[in-house]
């Protein structure tokens, strides 16, 4: 397990906890640009990551270690429910 490591909560909130530094950093899973909302800009960022073969834990909605079409669809579903 990497340090800091993410802890995902059912509300799409993720808290990064560092055992060595002892801090918490709260962010929202799916909010790639950090603007406090999960919106079309975040969905576009997921598509860009997919195209580049990049990785961002905020984009890995299903926590499978990859940013892929399942994460993109998950962001669209989150957008539809908010």
């Amino acid at each position: 397990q990497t340090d800091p490591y993410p802890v995902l909560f059912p509300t799409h909130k993720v808290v990064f906890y560092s055992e060595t530094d002892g801090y918490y950093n709260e962010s929202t899973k799916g909010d790639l640009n950090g603007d406090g909302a999960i919106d079309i800009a975040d969905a576009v960022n997921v598509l860009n990551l997919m195209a580049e073969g990049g990785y961002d834990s905020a984009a890995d909605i299903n926590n499978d270690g990859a940013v892929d079409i399942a994460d993109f669809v998950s962001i669209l579903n989150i957008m539809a429910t908010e």
Side-chain angles (χ1 to χ4, degrees), residues 19-72:
E19 291 178 355
T20 55
D21 298 330
Y23 69 87
Y24 290 92
N25 176 17
E26 186 174 323
S27 65
T28 302
K29 196 79 161 171
D31 183 14
L32 277 71
N33 60 6
D35 67 355
I38 298 174
D39 53 26
I40 194 65
D42 300 304
V44 169
N45 284 336
V46 169
L47 291 176
N48 287 335
L49 279 170
M50 289 170 47
E52 297 165 359
Y55 181 81
D56 184 329
S57 62
D60 186 10
I61 306 301
N62 60 5
N63 294 315
D64 66 353
V67 177
D68 53 27
I69 194 68
D71 301 305
F72 175 72

